[in-house]
Amino acid sequence: MTTGLHPGGTPQDPPPTGNQPLPRQAPIGQGALPADNRPRSSVITARAAASFEPVGRSVATARSFVRDTLQGWGFSDIVDDAVVLTSELVTNAVVHAGTAADVLCLRSDDGARIEVADHYPEREIPLQGAAITMSSPDREGGRGLQLCAALASRWGVDYTPTQKLVWFQLDLPARPVGTRTAGPSLPAALLPLADGRVRVAVVQIDRTGSIASWNEDAEELFGYAAEQVTGKPLTDLAAWPHTPGTSTGIAEALRLSRWEGSYGIRGADGRVTPVYASHLRVRDTDGEPSTVCLLVRDHERAVLQTPLRGPAPDAASTPDGQNTDPFEVFIGSPAPDDLDGLLQRTVERARDMLDGDSAFLLLATDDETELEVRASTGLPSARQRFARVPVEAGPGRYGSARMPAVHEDLQAVPGAVPLLSGTGMRSVVTVPLKVEGRLTGSLGVAAEGPNKYSNEEALRLQFAADRIALAVESARLGELERLRRGSLSFLVEASDLLAGTLDRDQTLALMAQMTVPTLATWCAVYTIADRSSDPYLSYVLHEDEELIDGIKSLLSKIAPPDPVPTPGARVWAAPAEAAHQAALRTSMRSLGLGEPTRRVSSGIGPTLATASAVGGETVVLPLVARNRVIGMLTLGKPTDEHFRQEILELAEDLSRRAALALDNARLYSERTAISQSLQRSLLPPDLPHIEGVEVEVIYRAAGEGNEVGGDFYDLFPIRDGVYGFAIGDVCGTGPEAAAVTGLARHALRLLAREGFGGPAVLERLNSAILDEGARSRFLTLLYGELWPQEDGSAKLKVVCAGHPLPLRLRQDGTVEPAAEPQPLLGVMEDLELYEQTVTLDPGDVLLCVTDGVTERREGTRMLGDDGLTDVLTTCTGLTAGAVAARIMRAVERFASDAPSDDMAILAMRVPGLQKD
C-alpha cells in the first residue's frame, strides 16, 4: 500500500465526465444519469490518498485507512458508513476486477467525499442514457452501488477508457439530541452567552410519574403555574427524542436511579423548549420513592452535565510522570492477544476493582437485539457460556442494557438480570460497552450481599468499560472475520466431499464426520424412507469412539424427534432428560438405594460417561430436499455446554447441502436397483447341462453400473438332444443396445422351438429388428444348433451373420475358422442365409467371441483375429473354462486402459467318451 497525505486547500473539483453522479433519491435503472448536484461551493480542506495491491488483504487495509483518516479528521459520525462502502468498492476492484485500487479521501466543511478507482483493462464505457440495473443483494457482486444508493448523501460513477471511479459523499449529521460532549478550556470571552440568569427548573415526580412539585424557575421557563401541572403526568409535557432501535422512553428514564440527557418540554404557548435534564431517584423517610428532575435550557447544559471522569493520577501515570495507555492500566500489560483471553482478563479485573464476588461480560449480537455470555468469573461459566438473553424485549429481558444500572437487591426485583438467577447474587451493577454510539456489550459485577453498589461504583465501572470497549469490539470483529473465513472453507470442503459420492451409507458417514468434532461433540442422523415412514436412527458418531454404542443405545430407546420442516435448529430436550434419569438410576443402584420412583423408559442403561456426554444441549436440524423432510441431523454437546449461534447457522447451511446429497444418493440407489433388475432380466438363466459337451461363458458389459450391454449370448434346449446357442453384438452400448439384445434373445428361443432352422430363424429376427423403425440397430449374430453324438463327437449347424467367425481348435493345436461370413442383420430386408455343418471331434474346442475381444486396442495396436488365434493355439488340452479364462486374461493384459466395448466369450469343448 502507498499513501499520501496532502495539506488542506481549495483545489478544483474533479472535471466532469460522461456519466455524472446520481443523487441518492434517484431511481436506479430508469433513463439517463442525472447531472451532478454536489454543491460546487464546498471547500476541500484536506485530502488523503492510498493505493492498494490486488490481493485479498488489501480490503482490510483499505478499511483501516479510511477509518483512521476520518477519525483523525473528527468525522466519527460517518466512519461506519464510509468503511462499509469502501470495503464493498475496494473488494470489487482487488478481488473481482483483479486490479489495484486507488482510494482518495477529501474533507470539506459539510462532510467527506471518498473516491475508489480500479484499472480493469477491458471495461467498456457505458453509453449515455443506458439504464443501470442493480443486482440482487443476495448475489456475490454488484452490491457496492446499492449500498451507495442506500447510505451516501450523493454518489456517482465516472468512466474513462482506462479506469472506473466510484465516488460517494457522506454529509455530517446534525448533532443528535442527548449526545454528551466535553469541550476544551476557554477564555471567558469565548464562553457561550445565556439569556439572563440561568434558571434551573426543579420538578419532583411521584412513583406514578405525576408531577408533585413545580418551582418558580419551572414556571418562568415553561409558562405553567404550579397548580396547572401538579398531578399531571410528566409524559404529557415531555417531548421525548425517540431513538430508532431503543425502547427506553421518559417513563423508563424516570425509574432509573440516575439519568442525564436531553429532551423537550411543551410550554404554555405550545412551543417545545429543548432542555437538558438530570434525574435522581430518591425516597423519603416513609420509603416512598420519587424522582427529582433538574432542567435547564439545552444550551446551558454545562450547569447540570456531569463532567467526564479522567483516570486517577496514580493509575494513569508511571512513577516518573510518563502517561500510560488507560487500557493497559486496566487490562495489564501485555494484553491478551485473543478475544476469549481479553474478555476473561476484563471480568477478573472488574471483579477485583469493585471487590465483587463475581463478574460477567456479554457481547451483543449483530442486530443488537440479544446479548451473548462470553466470559464470567465466580459463576458456573460452563453452564452460562454462549447463552443468550434479549436486550429490552419481553420476559427475561436484560434490564436497560444501553444505560448503567444498579440493583441493590435482586430479591426485590427477581429476573432483572437473568444471568444471575439461582446464583445467590444479591446486588449487581451493569454498564454498557459502546463504540461510536453502538451497543456492543455489557459488563457487570455482582456481590452476594445486598446494597453493596451505588452510582459511584457504576461510574467507576463505566469508565473502565469505556477504556476497553474499542479493544473488545476490534477483537470481536477479528474473531467474526476468522469464523466467516473458516465457515466458507468448511462449507466448500463439505460440498466437495458430499458431491464426490452417490453412496447413501458413505453420505451418512460424511455428514457425521464433518460435524464431529468441528460443530458438535456428538451427532446422530435420522432418515425417513417415505412420507408414511417413521424416522429411523441411521448413524451415530461421537468424538470418543468408546461412547458411540452407549449413545446409540440411549437414542434407540427414546422417541425420535418430530420431522418438522421448519428451517433452523430447535432444541431437543429428550436425550438430556433420558441421560439424566439413566445416570440417576445408575448412581442409586451403586449406593444400594434401589430404583428411583420416576422412570423414563425401561432398559435404558448407559454408563455415567455416556449420560454426561449426552447431557448437554441437543439441537435438531431438518434435512429437507425437494420440499420433503428426508431426515434429521441431531447435534449434541456434553453436560453444561451450549451451542453458539454462529455454529448453529453453519450447521444449518451444512444440513441443506447434506440433505440434497443424501436425497441424490437415495435417488441414485433406487434407479440403480431398477436398472440392474431390468438388466438381469435380459441375461439368460443358468446354462443347461449338456451331456458330453463342456460349455463356459464369460461376459463383461462396458460402462459403470451396466450388467448388460450390446453384446449377448445364449444357450438353451430346443428339443430332446438338440441345443441352440447364440452370440451376438448390437451396434452401440448401454440401455439402447440392451433393448435390442432382449428382443434378439427372446426371438431366437421362440423361433427355434417352433421348429425353424437356422436361416429361417435369423431371417425372421431380421424382419423384427427392421420393424423397430428409428429404434432399430444393426446386429451381428452367430447362431447354431448342437447335437451331441453317441461316439463322443458333436455335430453343429452354424449361421454366421456378419459376426466374427468362430474358431475351431483341434487336438494337434491347429486353429481354423468354423464358418463363412454372411450379411449382418438389421440392414437389408431380403436376406439369403445358409447354414454350415461342423463336426467337433473329441478334444476339439469351438471358441465364439464378440468384436470387443478382437478389437481390444493399446495405442495403434489391436489384438485382431491373428492375435486371438495365437492365444487359442496355446490352449490345447485345457477345459472349456480354462480356455475362456486364458482368452480373457490375454485380452485384459493387452491394454492398460479399462475396456470401452462389451465383451462376450463362449467356449465349447467335446471331451470325448469316458472309459471305465
Side-chain angles (χ1 to χ4, degrees):
M1 179 187 77
T2 59
T3 63
L5 187 62
H6 309 283
T10 57
Q12 296 180 354
D13 290 331
T17 57
N19 266 350
Q20 296 299 332
L22 286 168
R24 180 177 180 181
Q25 294 82 7
I28 301 301
Q30 299 178 7
L33 300 176
D36 184 2
N37 59 0
R38 178 169 53 92
R40 297 296 178 180
S41 61
S42 61
V43 177
I44 297 176
T45 59
R47 60 173 67 203
S51 297
F52 302 92
E53 298 298 323
V55 292
R57 62 178 180 272
S58 293
V59 179
T61 310
R63 288 198 296 263
S64 300
F65 164 72
V66 172
R67 182 181 294 277
D68 294 342
T69 299
L70 296 186
Q71 287 180 339
W73 290 346
F75 288 177
S76 59
D77 292 324
I78 60 175
V79 164
D80 288 340
D81 288 348
V83 168
V84 169
L85 296 178
T86 302
S87 179
E88 284 292 329
L89 298 178
V90 173
T91 299
N92 290 340
V94 304
V95 176
H96 300 305
T99 76
D102 300 329
V103 180
L104 175 63
C105 301
L106 303 174
R107 183 183 69 183
S108 61
D109 295 334
D110 55 352
R113 170 181 167 123
I114 297 177
E115 300 177 352
V116 179
D118 65 33
H119 304 276
Y120 192 72
E122 299 175 0
R123 189 182 302 281
E124 296 181 358
I125 301 177
L127 298 176
Q128 179 70 18
I132 297 177
T133 302
M134 288 292 187
S135 64
S136 167
D138 296 330
R139 293 185 58 186
E140 179 62 22
R143 294 177 298 206
L145 298 184
Q146 284 187 309
L147 288 174
C148 287
L151 300 179
S153 302
R154 293 175 297 278
W155 66 279
V157 184
D158 296 341
Y159 284 91
T160 70
T162 59
Q163 72 172 13
K164 182 187 78 172
L165 183 146
V166 181
W167 64 268
F168 58 89
Q169 173 83 21
L170 294 173
D171 293 339
L172 290 175
R175 180 66 60 183
V177 174
T179 300
R180 298 177 60 174
T181 60
S185 300
L186 295 175
L190 299 180
L191 293 175
L193 294 175
D195 300 335
R197 75 175 182 86
V198 175
R199 298 184 181 274
V200 180
V202 180
V203 182
Q204 191 162 7
I205 313 299
D206 62 20
R207 66 161 61 215
T208 65
S210 300
I211 298 173
S213 65
W214 183 270
N215 72 344
E216 292 180 358
D217 280 359
E219 294 180 2
E220 184 66 25
L221 286 174
F222 309 123
Y224 292 108
E227 57 270 14
Q228 291 180 278
V229 295
T230 301
K232 292 184 177 181
L234 181 64
T235 54
D236 290 350
L237 305 179
W240 189 259
H242 291 287
T243 303
T246 66
S247 61
T248 303
I250 180 65
E252 286 78 11
L254 292 175
R255 286 195 295 268
L256 297 175
S257 61
R258 182 174 178 82
W259 183 89
E260 285 186 19
S262 297
Y263 53 92
I265 295 292
R266 296 181 181 88
D269 57 0
R271 297 181 179 180
V272 174
T273 302
V275 298
Y276 189 83
S278 176
H279 298 176
L280 178 66
R281 200 168 194 209
V282 297
R283 21 173 214 177
D284 58 22
T285 56
D286 297 329
E288 187 69 17
S290 63
T291 303
V292 178
C293 305
L294 307 180
L295 302 92
V296 299
R297 293 183 178 91
D298 191 64
H299 61 274
E300 298 169 342
R301 63 171 59 192
V303 175
L304 299 182
Q305 188 167 13
T306 302
L308 296 176
R309 290 195 171 204
D314 57 347
S317 61
T318 58
D320 57 1
Q322 296 179 349
N323 291 332
T324 59
D325 185 358
F327 170 74
E328 292 186 358
V329 171
F330 180 73
I331 293 297
S333 183
D337 56 359
D338 64 299
L339 178 61
D340 289 335
L342 176 61
L343 300 182
Q344 193 61 36
R345 179 81 62 85
T346 297
V347 296
E348 292 171 356
R349 292 299 174 90
R351 178 198 59 189
D352 297 341
M353 182 178 69
L354 299 186
D355 191 24
D357 297 310
S358 63
F360 52 88
L361 192 148
L362 302 89
L363 292 184
T365 55
D366 290 342
D367 56 5
E368 298 182 8
T369 60
E370 291 182 306
L371 294 173
E372 181 181 62
V373 181
R374 291 301 302 269
S376 64
T377 181
L379 296 173
S381 57
R383 177 172 62 87
Q384 303 291 352
R385 185 169 170 80
F386 301 126
R388 290 191 171 195
V389 291
V391 177
E392 291 176 331
R397 66 193 180 113
Y398 190 84
S400 181
R402 290 180 172 85
M403 295 181 182
V406 176
H407 296 280
E408 296 177 346
D409 193 349
L410 289 177
Q411 290 185 356
V413 282
V417 184
L419 176 64
L420 300 180
S421 299
T423 61
M425 300 297 158
R426 297 282 297 276
S427 55
V428 60
V429 53
T430 62
V431 297
L433 276 69
K434 292 186 177 181
V435 175
E436 300 174 357
R438 295 183 300 104
L439 177 68
T440 60
S442 178
L443 176 63
V445 178
E448 294 179 354
N451 304 315
K452 186 169 183 178
Y453 299 120
S454 64
N455 289 337
E456 182 67 22
E457 285 76 19
L459 290 174
R460 292 175 60 195
L461 189 61
Q462 184 67 70
F463 174 77
D466 292 341
R467 301 286 75 77
I468 59 100
L470 186 59
V472 169
E473 178 67 1
S474 177
R476 185 183 75 90
L477 293 177
E479 181 189 68
L480 286 177
E481 186 69 19
R482 289 190 296 272
L483 285 174
R484 286 167 181 164
R485 287 199 302 267
S487 298
L488 288 175
S489 300
F490 174 79
L491 290 176
V492 168
E493 182 179 359
S495 298
D496 289 342
L497 291 174
L498 291 172
T501 179
L502 287 172
D503 182 81
R504 176 184 175 277
D505 294 337
Q506 189 174 0
T507 301
L508 290 172
L510 284 174
M511 290 169 56
Q513 291 166 7
M514 285 185 294
T515 57
V516 176
T518 305
L519 305 181
T521 305
W522 64 272
C523 167
V525 182
Y526 290 85
T527 57
I528 303 175
D530 52 55
R531 298 182 187 275
S532 60
S533 301
D534 294 328
Y536 173 75
L537 182 62
S538 298
Y539 202 91
V540 175
L541 184 65
H542 191 281
E543 60 183 7
D544 185 354
E545 294 183 356
E546 295 181 355
L547 299 177
I548 294 177
D549 291 338
I551 296 176
K552 187 180 298 184
S553 174
L554 176 70
L555 295 178
S556 63
K557 298 296 172 44
I558 61 178
D562 295 331
V564 178
T566 306
R570 68 182 192 277
V571 177
W572 185 32
E577 294 177 358
H580 173 74
Q581 293 299 321
L584 180 61
R585 289 196 303 273
T586 302
S587 299
M588 295 188 71
R589 282 198 301 267
S590 66
L591 297 174
L593 300 178
E595 293 287 335
T597 303
R598 182 182 176 186
R599 297 177 62 91
V600 176
S601 62
S602 60
I604 303 179
T607 63
L608 292 178
T610 301
S612 176
V614 186
E617 187 176 44
T618 303
V619 296
V620 178
L621 297 104
L623 298 174
V624 181
R626 298 174 177 89
N627 298 321
R628 185 176 75 87
V629 180
I630 63 171
M632 285 88 70
L633 178 63
T634 303
L635 305 180
K637 287 281 190 179
T639 302
D640 294 339
E641 287 197 24
H642 296 268
F643 286 97
R644 295 189 61 180
Q645 186 65 25
E646 293 82 0
I647 295 298
L648 294 180
E649 292 171 357
L650 182 59
E652 186 177 356
D653 284 340
L654 175 63
S655 67
R656 287 193 292 266
R657 290 166 168 81
L660 188 58
L662 183 62
D663 199 47
N664 287 339
R666 177 187 63 83
L667 293 175
Y668 177 78
S669 299
E670 290 178 356
R671 281 156 177 74
T672 300
I674 294 172
S675 174
Q676 291 175 347
S677 177
L678 292 175
Q679 290 185 62
R680 281 192 291 269
S681 69
L682 300 177
L683 293 174
D686 295 338
L687 297 178
H689 174 71
I690 304 177
E691 189 69 29
V693 178
E694 297 175 359
V695 179
E696 183 64 27
V697 174
I698 297 179
Y699 183 82
R700 297 285 189 273
E704 183 178 358
N706 289 332
E707 295 187 19
V708 177
D711 291 6
F712 68 96
Y713 69 91
D714 201 0
L715 180 65
F716 56 92
I718 298 177
R719 51 187 178 274
D720 290 341
V722 181
Y723 298 87
F725 65 91
I727 185 169
D729 185 3
V730 179
C731 174
T733 60
E736 294 83 1
V740 180
T741 296
L743 171 64
R745 193 175 69 82
H746 292 294
L748 287 176
R749 287 189 171 221
L750 179 62
L751 294 172
R753 288 170 177 171
E754 288 294 324
F756 292 98
V761 169
L762 269 59
E763 289 170 1
R764 285 164 173 75
L765 176 59
N766 180 65
S767 299
I769 295 174
L770 292 175
D771 288 342
E772 291 292 308
R775 296 180 299 175
S776 66
R777 290 169 176 259
F778 65 80
L779 167 67
T780 68
L781 180 64
L782 173 65
Y783 173 75
E785 295 179 356
L786 172 67
W787 285 271
Q789 304 296 311
E790 294 181 357
D791 60 358
S793 63
K795 179 181 177 182
L796 293 86
K797 292 184 178 180
V798 181
V799 180
C800 186
H803 198 78
L805 300 179
L807 299 179
R808 177 182 180 179
L809 172 66
R810 297 183 179 273
Q811 283 187 317
D812 59 3
T814 59
V815 176
E816 59 185 13
E820 295 178 355
Q822 299 184 58
L824 51 78
L825 308 181
V827 178
M828 299 179 295
E829 293 185 359
D830 297 328
L831 292 179
E832 294 184 1
L833 302 176
Y834 58 91
E835 61 184 10
Q836 298 174 269
T837 302
V838 179
T839 299
L840 296 181
D841 297 327
D844 289 353
V845 175
L846 183 70
L847 178 66
C848 308
V849 300
T850 59
D851 60 4
V853 174
T854 56
E855 295 179 2
R856 178 72 162 145
R857 293 180 179 275
E858 174 69 19
T860 58
R861 299 185 307 116
M862 186 173 71
L863 180 64
D865 295 334
D866 294 338
L868 180 62
T869 300
D870 293 340
V871 176
L872 185 58
T873 57
T874 66
C875 298
T876 304
L878 300 181
T879 63
V883 171
R886 179 170 293 186
I887 298 297
M888 180 55 70
R889 283 197 302 270
V891 172
E892 291 175 342
R893 294 173 180 175
F894 187 80
S896 57
D897 295 337
S900 59
D901 195 5
D902 304 329
M903 292 186 294
I905 300 174
L906 172 61
M908 294 184 291
R909 177 175 179 269
V910 181
L913 296 175
Q914 299 293 330
K915 296 182 180 180
D916 296 334

